[in-house]
Amino acid sequence: MQKTDYAIINPASGELIEAIPFDSDARIQNIIESHAESFSQWNQSDFNHRADCFNSIASILRNNKDDLAYTVALEMGKPVSQAFAEVDKCAFVCEHYASHAESFLSPYDVQTELSLSRVVYRPLGTIFAIMPWNFPLWQVFRAAAPIIMAGNTLILKHAPRVPRTAKRIEEIFLEAGFPKRVFSNVFASNEQASKIISSTLIKGVCLTGSCEAGRAVASEAGRNLKPVLLELGGSDPYIVLDDADMKLAAEKIAFSRMLNNGQTCISAKRFIVMESVMDEFTECLVKELERYKVGDPREPETSQGPLAREDLLTELEDQVKRSLAEGAEIVYQGKKAELEGYFYPISILKNVLPGMAAFDEELFGPVGSIISASSIEQAVSLANQSSFGLGAAVFTQDVQAGIDLASNYINAGTCVVNDFVRSDPRLPFGGINDSGFGRELGVEGIKFFVNVKTVCSA
């Protein structure tokens, strides 16, 4: 097995389950060309037919929830209870765009001196999607539903850790009645992915992944003058003001930070807490974290599983060590799982300051950072002192003041008051700065990969 091949390694044990070689260049080229042919028919299909296909997908997802959830748990370590929820969310996004795509893309007329001035929306062609392992179902369907409902076709390069999930998604599209080569999965290397982006038959690219991957993909797409949508990393600040409900704040922050074993771009990572309530908040947070059960993600009672890969574990260990060497302290650390896999104990650091890895970098795992602030102004300044800008939250019992902070002062693509950040098919989602650009979901999401065409008549 080559290191870069697609491989299933059980992260709870380190056991190699299966290795899958890359597709040949010839097979990938055939898929690209076949998609161009399929697009010529699919883009002329009506919205009702597309909607029927996506509603069928929603039914298939729900009917196969157990199989899908346990495959995800095996491949990347998500607790199976959370994988069930991921399947349900995928069904929701399919039904949402099945119901609303036609109205979102309805043409409209503009009054000018001409007899007709109309704006219409037309699909671009085949879109290439590069998706990560951490939400191996949701990330694909949240991209595919709007892109394909708009009349495009989609080729997926999924993460090398989740090949069974990738193959199963393609099978589901066919089971739902989609024509062949409207959605296809390829097992491609990074070098092959670069060639796919440069193909004249590929009309756009979307990626969810690391900043490093985003820069590489954006550079290749830019050289080939293609639209690209990037959803990258995050180091989301959660501000806890002195009038906040501390139990609520601790509950929401703990859940957000530990969701998906701490491997979520939009999870709470920097907890910016007013000095006057620091002790109370910390006590509430520790009580919440003590309830989490670490173990095999396929066991129903498990709420915290392993990291997805050994290199992710090594990187997280290094980030924590560097932060401790610079003056941070561990205020809480849970027990390590009695398993051989890629487990890191739930940990909370305090005395975290700008310049430390725990402040400046994204910690992708079950580690949170408590940061002290003496005023609201300092809290906002610390929140914005980041290269990222994906999500943020404010906890306060003065809801209107919280909305004002979220709307006007915190730099992020999504800001929430008294809750944790999550994506929703009904709302645009994405980030700024190193967290990427463009928006998925909502009305904006379906309009990203379309030609906004002006049609006029004298």
Side-chain angles (χ1 to χ4, degrees):
M1 181 190 71
Q2 297 180 12
K3 185 178 180 181
T4 51
D5 281 356
Y6 281 70
I8 301 171
I9 299 175
N10 182 354
S13 66
E15 175 191 4
L16 173 64
I17 306 297
E18 181 182 5
I20 299 172
F22 295 129
D23 288 335
S24 67
D25 290 345
R27 181 177 188 276
I28 291 174
Q29 182 60 29
N30 177 263
I31 289 174
I32 293 172
E33 292 174 0
S34 297
H35 266 258
E37 295 172 8
S38 294
F39 171 71
S40 64
Q41 282 85 43
W42 182 252
N43 87 91
Q44 295 301 321
S45 64
D46 61 40
F47 282 104
N48 287 335
H49 174 61
R50 299 175 200 169
D52 287 343
C53 291
F54 271 105
N55 284 325
S56 180
I57 281 186
S59 296
I60 293 169
L61 288 169
R62 293 190 177 104
N63 290 337
N64 291 270
K65 186 185 296 188
D66 284 2
D67 177 59
L68 291 166
Y70 280 97
T71 298
V72 167
L74 172 67
E75 289 190 310
M76 53 72 58
K78 186 190 302 289
V80 72
S81 61
Q82 295 177 22
F84 289 143
E86 184 174 345
V87 176
D88 286 333
K89 194 171 183 179
C90 292
F92 177 29
V93 76
C94 290
E95 291 171 336
H96 175 72
Y97 281 105
S99 297
H100 299 290
E102 185 172 12
S103 63
F104 288 164
L105 298 177
S106 295
Y108 63 92
D109 292 341
V110 177
Q111 194 70 36
T112 71
E113 67 277 9
L114 299 172
S115 64
L116 175 73
S117 298
R118 179 169 294 164
V119 177
V120 300
Y121 300 97
R122 297 300 302 154
L124 297 178
T126 299
I127 308 302
F128 182 42
I130 303 171
M131 291 293 130
W133 47 264
N134 59 337
F135 287 87
L137 292 166
W138 168 243
Q139 304 283 15
V140 175
F141 282 102
R142 88 175 185 194
I147 287 172
I148 296 175
M149 274 301 301
N152 300 294
T153 68
L154 188 142
I155 295 175
L156 167 69
K157 177 197 179 303
H158 217 324
R161 264 298 186 256
V162 291
R164 286 185 185 173
T165 300
K167 289 171 67 176
R168 186 69 186 106
I169 292 171
E170 182 176 16
E171 292 168 358
I172 288 171
F173 270 86
L174 294 174
E175 290 172 23
F178 283 84
K180 192 175 183 180
R181 300 311 183 209
V182 168
F183 178 97
S184 296
N185 171 69
V186 294
F187 292 131
S189 67
N190 291 339
E191 292 74 19
Q192 288 173 314
S194 180
K195 292 178 182 177
I196 294 172
I197 295 171
S198 66
S199 169
T200 57
L201 297 176
I202 298 297
K203 303 303 180 182
V205 185
C206 61
L207 173 136
T208 298
S210 67
C211 295
E212 180 183 9
R215 291 186 178 96
V217 168
S219 177
E220 191 65 41
R223 277 196 294 271
N224 289 278
L225 299 178
K226 297 179 182 180
V228 59
L229 190 158
L230 302 176
E231 194 268 279
L232 308 177
S235 184
D236 289 11
Y238 277 47
I239 297 174
V240 181
L241 299 183
D242 51 16
D243 69 337
D245 181 329
M246 293 301 148
K247 290 183 179 179
L248 174 69
E251 176 189 346
K252 298 292 186 179
I253 288 173
F255 180 83
S256 175
R257 175 69 287 224
M258 300 305 154
L259 181 67
N260 204 33
N261 309 330
Q263 300 166 121
T264 306
C265 296
I266 54 171
S267 67
K269 296 190 177 80
R270 294 180 295 137
F271 318 151
I272 301 172
V273 183
M274 303 301 290
E275 289 177 352
S276 58
V277 293
M278 177 69 72
D279 291 343
E280 182 184 1
F281 170 78
T282 302
E283 181 181 349
C284 290
L285 180 63
V286 169
K287 286 182 180 179
E288 282 293 325
L289 295 175
E290 287 175 340
R291 297 165 51 189
Y292 282 72
K293 179 174 175 54
V294 180
D296 189 320
R298 291 170 293 177
E299 296 296 330
E301 66 273 14
T302 295
S303 54
Q304 196 73 25
L307 300 188
R309 302 193 312 259
E310 186 175 14
D311 63 302
L312 297 171
L313 175 62
T314 300
E315 181 178 2
L316 184 63
E317 289 172 338
D318 176 67
Q319 289 172 311
V320 172
K321 287 178 181 177
R322 285 189 283 122
S323 299
L324 295 176
E326 293 164 349
E329 298 178 29
I330 294 176
V331 68
Y332 171 78
Q333 189 163 71
K335 295 180 180 179
K336 190 168 183 178
E338 296 178 359
L339 295 167
E340 296 298 322
Y342 313 135
F343 290 89
Y344 192 89
I346 294 173
S347 302
I348 299 298
L349 307 180
K350 68 175 183 178
N351 298 335
V352 174
L353 300 172
M356 296 180 181
F359 188 102
D360 295 345
E361 301 173 16
E362 180 176 28
L363 303 188
F364 222 55
V367 180
S369 303
I370 297 179
I371 299 152
S372 176
S374 59
S375 66
I376 295 176
E377 291 77 15
Q378 186 186 23
V380 171
S381 176
L382 288 165
N384 291 336
Q385 194 171 335
S386 173
S387 63
F388 298 103
L390 192 56
V394 179
F395 287 86
T396 175
Q397 295 193 60
D398 187 341
V399 174
Q400 192 53 54
I403 292 172
D404 180 57
L405 282 177
S407 301
N408 300 311
Y409 297 98
I410 300 173
N411 300 329
T414 300
C415 295
V416 179
V417 179
N418 292 333
D419 208 341
F420 62 91
V421 178
R422 71 201 84 178
S423 58
D424 186 311
R426 298 162 293 189
L427 297 169
F429 178 78
I432 59 174
N433 304 327
D434 285 357
S435 292
F437 50 78
R439 291 295 181 267
E440 297 179 290
L441 303 176
V443 178
E444 290 79 1
I446 200 169
K447 291 182 177 179
F448 194 89
F449 289 112
V450 297
N451 174 17
V452 184
K453 182 189 292 187
T454 299
V455 178
C456 297
S457 176

